[in-house]
């Protein structure tokens, strides 16, 4: 860097320090607004990523029976009909539902141990239960502790906690309670021959739609959910929610712009006088413009980084406390789950760009006004 | 070669508007180098505007201005800025120091837009502070200085680029007579060092402390020469 640029940058930083009370308040407000928008973007991104990772483990196609628009149990024998369809490698009957936990006011997912896996963690014996981290932490439980759950018809059933999930993704297992199939049926009020739905293993993803079409023609009244469809729904849902929150935040952004404009555009009398003096002692318009640019850049970058840091802490350390109710779980009271820290570098760059650029643009005109200050004015200043 | 030459210079503010102000009228002036020139006149007579033109802070509306042989009145602002930085030191009314900065930082202000290294800037500031006898207050904020010290800093800032021409607007206006004498002795030193000095002042003490070569009077935007103060 040329010595001149270094001198001007140094002068700009000293100038900001001299007016620190004013600049500090601006930086704090700027950082708060940036932090809010960054939180929305990071939170939405994290939810979408969680959803994508969760769906890696989802079946290619899920077949559910509806009656009056609601999910109803199916008989296990229906699985044989599905197995007979060409292109379906395996059919996995699934037993699952929700368990409302009154002490925490949360809804947990209750599921029977799936077949087709040899992992003992997924096979609790009768009288045992494997819990997700969310449930364990919210009840201060450890492996080996007894756990009593309320039966649908009333009364309690006590299990021994045989293990805790080590989550690949929190969205997948954080709120999960895994039981022996027979006990899961009891807890969900299902008969011995009933299951919730069927998960289909389709080795060739290209055949999924065709198989789905075949099932819907052959068995009307069944709902088919493909993995891609769920993925798209999640993407659209979280993006739309993010959009709504950002839209709501536009009002505060507007307020910030007004404030920033007021701060940045109103060259105070002292600043104007200082620029006049500088021009009088030999600073050119370009030098003054550079000075104001360095000042604006410092404020914008510092505020944006502070806001981004606050957003990272908010989303990944504090669990997005302020946004969670807006961006996830509108209709069902899920337990809290932490988001995995893995922010997308593209998103970080986007946040910095949309946060820094508008301020720089907003300060262009006042910077120009300062730069073209008539140095002769300072001769007249009495 | 003359140091400064003005030919039929006019300066008009708010030109072609109802409140048009004709501040300089047909100014002709030729000053040889290394002279002390005094311009006097009542307030509002146009002294300060004349100094602004001479200091390349503003351009005349018509007429020509040659400074050190260069036709500066025809130049764009960017060229004037560089020329002013290199050749002209300006001392404003009321000192016009930058508050919040130290003496050293105020002295260094004109050098910050040059390619001088930090160490060279510091050295030049130290030398200049010695010349204007303010070395003992280098790190002091300018708000804490006395009037005489502020004027020394203002003079030092005008000198730090080592210009040939020093232009001062009422340099003793806010000083008591003892301090004014000290400041004028400083100007005498600069004159001995080879600088051309142009001072606009009401203060008669200027002629007693300075070897004034020429005295001009401004009245209603017109300049006339006097042989004595």
């Amino acid at each position: 860097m040329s010595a001149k640029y270094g001198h001007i940058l140094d002068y700009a930083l000293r100038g900001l320090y001299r007016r620190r009370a004013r600049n500090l308040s601006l930086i704090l407000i700027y950082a708060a607004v940036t932090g809010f928008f960054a939180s929305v973007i990071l939170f939405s991104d994290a939810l979408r990523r969680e959803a994508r990772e969760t769906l890696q483990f989802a079946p290619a196609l899920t077949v559910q029976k509806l009656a009056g628009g609601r999910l109803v149990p199916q008989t296990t024998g229906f699985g044989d009909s599905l197995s007979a369809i060409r292109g379906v490698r395996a059919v996995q009957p699934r037993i699952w539902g929700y368990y409302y936990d009154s002490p925490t006011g949360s809804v947990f997912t209750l599921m029977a141990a799936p077949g087709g896996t040899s992992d003992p963690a997924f096979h609790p014996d009768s009288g045992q239960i494997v819990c997700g981290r969310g449930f364990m932490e919210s009840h201060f439980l450890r492996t080996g502790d007894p756990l009593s759950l309320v039966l649908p018809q009333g009364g309690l059933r006590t299990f021994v906690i045989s293990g805790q999930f080590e989550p690949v993704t929190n969205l997948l297992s954080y709120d999960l309670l895994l039981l022996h199939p027979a006990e899961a049926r009891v807890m969900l009020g299902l008969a011995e021959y009933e299951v919730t739905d069927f998960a289909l293993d389709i080795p060739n993803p290209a055949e999924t739609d065709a198989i789905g079409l075949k099932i819907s023609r052959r068995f009307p009244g069944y709902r088919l959910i493909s993995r891609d469809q769920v993925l798209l729904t999640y993407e659209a849902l979280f993006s739309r929610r993010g959009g709504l929150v950002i839209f709501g935040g536009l009002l505060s952004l507007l307020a910030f712009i007004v404030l920033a404009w007021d701060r940045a555009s109103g060259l105070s009398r002292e600043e104007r006088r200082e620029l006049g003096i500088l021009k009088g002692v030999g600073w050119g318009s370009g030098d003054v413009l550079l000075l104001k640019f360095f000042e604006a850049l410092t404020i914008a970058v510092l505020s944006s980084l502070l806001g981004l840091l606050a957003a990272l802490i908010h989303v990944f350390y504090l669990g997005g406390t302020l946004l969670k109710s807006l961006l996830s779980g509108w209709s069902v009271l899920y337990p809290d789950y932490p988001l995995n820290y893995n922010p997308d570098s593209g998103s970080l760059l986007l946040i910095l760009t949309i946060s820094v650029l508008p301020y720089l643009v907003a300060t262009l005109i006042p910077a120009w006004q300062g730069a073209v200050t008539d140095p002769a004015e300072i001769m007249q200043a009495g | 070669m003359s140091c400064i030459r003005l030919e039929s210079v006019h300066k008009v503010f708010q030109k072609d508007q109802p409140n048009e102000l004709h501040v300089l009228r047909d100014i002709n002036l030729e000053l040889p180098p290394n002279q002390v020139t005094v311009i006097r006149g009542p307030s509002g007579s146009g002294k300060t505007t004349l100094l602004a033109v001479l200091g390349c802070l503003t351009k005349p509306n018509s007429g020509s201005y040659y400074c050190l042989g260069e036709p500066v009145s025809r130049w764009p602002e960017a060229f004037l800025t560089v020329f002013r930085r290199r050749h002209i030191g300006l001392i404003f009314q009321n000192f016009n120091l930058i508050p919040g900065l130290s003496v050293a930082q105020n002295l260094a202000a004109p050098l910050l837009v040059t390619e001088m290294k930090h160490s060279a800037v510091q050295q030049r500031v130290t030398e200049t502070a010695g010349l204007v006898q303010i070395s003992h207050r280098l790190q002091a904020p300018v708000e804490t200085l006395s009037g005489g010290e502020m004027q020394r800093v203002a003079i030092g800032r005008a000198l730090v680029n080592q210009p040939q021409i020093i232009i001062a607007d009422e340099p003793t206006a806010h000083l008591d007579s003892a301090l004014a004498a000290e400041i004028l002795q400083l100007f005498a030193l600069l004159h001995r060092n080879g600088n051309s000095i142009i001072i606009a002042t009401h203060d008669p003490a200027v002629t007693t402390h300075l070897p004034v070569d020429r005295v001009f009077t401004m009245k209603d935007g017109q300049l006339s020469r006097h042989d004595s103060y």
Side-chain angles (χ1 to χ4, degrees):
Chain A
M1 187 166 66
S2 84
K4 175 175 153 176
Y5 291 166
H7 294 319
I8 295 177
L9 178 61
D10 182 55
Y11 191 89
L13 296 177
R14 286 175 194 275
L16 290 175
Y17 182 73
R18 267 188 290 144
R19 294 181 284 274
R20 56 189 170 276
R22 171 185 156 162
N23 289 320
L24 196 62
S25 61
L26 177 61
I27 286 171
L28 287 178
I29 294 168
Y30 194 159
V33 174
T34 304
F36 171 75
F37 284 97
S39 290
V40 173
I41 292 172
L42 292 175
F43 196 84
S44 299
D45 275 1
L47 283 177
R48 279 200 297 273
R49 194 166 41 250
E50 283 282 323
R52 276 197 300 272
E53 287 172 5
T54 300
L55 290 171
Q56 284 177 6
F57 305 97
L61 202 60
T62 305
V63 181
Q64 297 179 334
K65 187 176 184 183
L66 296 180
R70 65 190 169 81
L71 193 63
V72 294
Q74 305 177 58
T75 57
T76 48
F78 183 61
D80 298 334
S81 308
L82 295 172
S83 300
I85 295 171
R86 190 186 296 272
V88 176
R89 180 163 57 190
V91 175
Q92 175 71 49
R94 301 195 311 179
I95 300 162
W96 63 270
Y98 296 111
Y99 176 80
Y100 176 69
D101 183 55
S102 57
T104 57
S106 299
V107 176
F108 292 87
T109 304
L110 201 151
M111 199 172 176
T117 170
S118 57
D119 189 342
F122 287 91
H123 288 284
D125 290 333
S126 180
Q128 291 184 334
I129 188 167
V130 180
C131 301
R133 194 152 60 93
F135 191 89
M136 297 286 269
E137 286 177 359
S138 61
H139 292 77
F140 306 99
L141 293 169
R142 291 180 186 167
T143 302
D145 285 348
L147 171 66
S148 296
L149 300 180
V150 181
L151 291 160
Q153 63 274 25
L156 291 174
R157 182 147 212 169
T158 303
F159 302 91
V160 174
I161 298 172
S162 62
Q164 176 187 320
F165 290 110
E166 292 305 325
V168 177
T169 84
N170 284 311
L171 208 59
L172 183 71
S173 62
Y174 198 73
D175 73 328
L176 195 61
L177 300 174
L178 197 68
L179 293 169
H180 185 273
E183 280 166 341
R185 282 194 172 95
V186 172
M187 289 303 302
L188 294 169
L190 295 173
E192 199 179 332
Y193 53 87
E194 285 181 325
V195 296
T196 309
D197 58 19
F198 291 97
L200 273 55
D201 179 15
I202 300 170
N204 182 1
E207 288 184 16
T208 306
D209 288 347
I211 291 170
L213 195 64
K214 211 178 286 182
I215 295 172
S216 60
R217 281 185 185 153
R218 204 175 294 176
F219 308 106
Y222 283 82
R223 178 168 67 180
L224 302 171
I225 304 165
S226 73
R227 183 167 44 210
D228 292 346
Q229 195 181 350
V230 176
L231 185 60
L232 282 174
T233 306
Y234 272 130
E235 293 274 346
L237 186 65
F238 292 139
S239 297
R240 183 168 167 274
R241 286 177 182 175
L244 283 174
V245 174
I246 285 178
F247 180 75
L250 278 179
L251 284 178
S252 50
L253 180 67
L254 189 67
F256 166 70
I257 287 172
V258 171
L259 179 81
W261 182 259
D262 178 55
R263 296 273 179 157
S265 65
L267 277 181
S268 66
R269 198 173 159 191
E270 287 73 27
E271 278 179 287
R272 208 174 164 77
R273 181 170 172 269
E274 182 177 333
L275 296 181
I277 294 170
L278 290 175
K279 291 199 77 175
V281 301
W283 285 48
S285 297
D287 302 325
V288 173
L289 205 56
L290 193 63
L291 170 68
K292 301 311 286 179
F293 173 75
F294 280 150
E295 285 181 356
L297 189 68
T298 305
I299 285 179
V301 169
L302 199 59
S303 307
S304 299
L305 287 177
L306 267 178
L308 188 58
L309 183 67
L312 287 169
I313 292 171
H314 172 225
V315 172
F316 295 111
Y317 185 72
L318 300 176
T321 321
L322 302 175
L323 293 172
K324 208 155 201 170
S325 57
L326 290 170
L327 289 172
S328 68
W330 279 1
S331 57
V332 184
L333 297 172
Y334 287 110
D336 281 345
Y337 53 87
L339 293 165
N340 290 325
Y341 177 78
N342 185 18
D344 176 17
S345 57
S347 294
L348 296 181
L349 200 62
L350 174 76
I351 290 163
L352 285 178
T353 307
I354 59 174
S355 143
V356 169
L357 277 184
Y359 186 78
L360 290 185
V361 172
T363 54
L364 261 183
I365 293 173
W368 178 251
Q369 285 173 338
V372 297
T373 301
D374 183 1
E377 278 180 20
I378 204 65
M379 293 289 289
Q380 304 292 344
Chain B
M1 183 185 72
S2 57
C3 171
I4 277 171
R5 183 151 58 94
L6 296 179
E7 292 175 355
S8 301
V9 162
H10 289 260
K11 182 68 184 177
V12 182
F13 291 117
Q14 293 98 34
K15 194 169 167 42
D16 300 329
Q17 289 176 27
N19 55 344
E20 179 178 291
L21 202 59
H22 207 138
V23 184
L24 300 181
R25 296 169 186 269
D26 194 26
I27 304 288
N28 291 281
L29 176 68
E30 184 155 5
L31 301 176
N34 192 26
Q35 287 209 339
V36 176
T37 304
V38 168
I39 299 167
R40 63 181 195 177
S43 295
S45 60
K47 296 190 304 291
T48 298
T49 302
L50 178 61
L51 292 191
V53 170
L54 294 174
C56 296
L57 289 170
T58 188
K59 290 201 285 186
N61 294 88
S62 65
S64 300
Y65 173 26
Y66 296 88
C67 186
L68 301 172
E70 302 287 351
V72 291
S73 55
R74 294 181 213 155
W75 287 358
E77 194 213 307
F79 281 42
L80 280 181
T81 300
V82 176
F83 185 85
R84 183 168 70 241
R85 191 190 307 150
R86 288 182 182 161
H87 302 292
I88 299 172
L90 288 161
I91 300 159
F92 307 104
Q93 279 187 44
N94 289 332
F95 322 124
N96 272 337
L97 302 178
I98 299 172
L101 297 186
S102 67
V103 169
Q105 288 166 337
N106 266 280
L107 289 176
L111 304 175
L112 301 181
V113 286
T114 68
E115 290 297 342
M116 286 176 76
K117 299 279 182 221
H118 181 72
S119 56
V121 169
Q122 294 306 312
Q123 190 182 343
R124 182 76 69 82
V125 165
T126 307
E127 288 167 5
T128 306
L131 183 66
V132 297
Q133 297 161 28
I134 196 73
S135 304
H136 59 295
R137 302 299 309 271
L138 262 183
Q139 300 311 319
V142 290
E143 297 90 335
T144 63
L145 302 181
S146 67
E149 288 171 329
M150 285 189 184
Q151 191 59 293
R152 287 176 188 281
V153 178
I155 295 171
R157 188 179 59 188
L159 295 176
V160 77
N161 266 333
Q162 300 176 338
Q164 287 112 303
I165 301 168
I166 307 290
I167 296 175
D169 192 8
E170 304 281 6
T172 57
H174 303 283
L175 306 177
D176 62 37
S177 54
L179 279 176
E182 281 181 29
I183 294 300
L184 291 171
Q185 281 164 12
L186 195 52
F187 277 101
L189 175 68
L190 299 177
H191 176 242
R192 285 197 296 277
N193 288 348
N195 290 106
S196 299
I197 297 173
I198 302 166
I199 298 176
T201 185
H202 291 100
D203 187 359
V206 169
T207 47
T208 57
H209 291 92
L210 274 178
V212 176
D213 297 291
R214 291 159 188 247
V215 177
F216 293 89
T217 300
M218 284 291 292
K219 190 178 180 189
D220 298 330
Q222 291 181 310
L223 191 67
S224 56
R225 183 172 175 184
H226 293 254
D227 291 328
S228 61
Y229 198 76

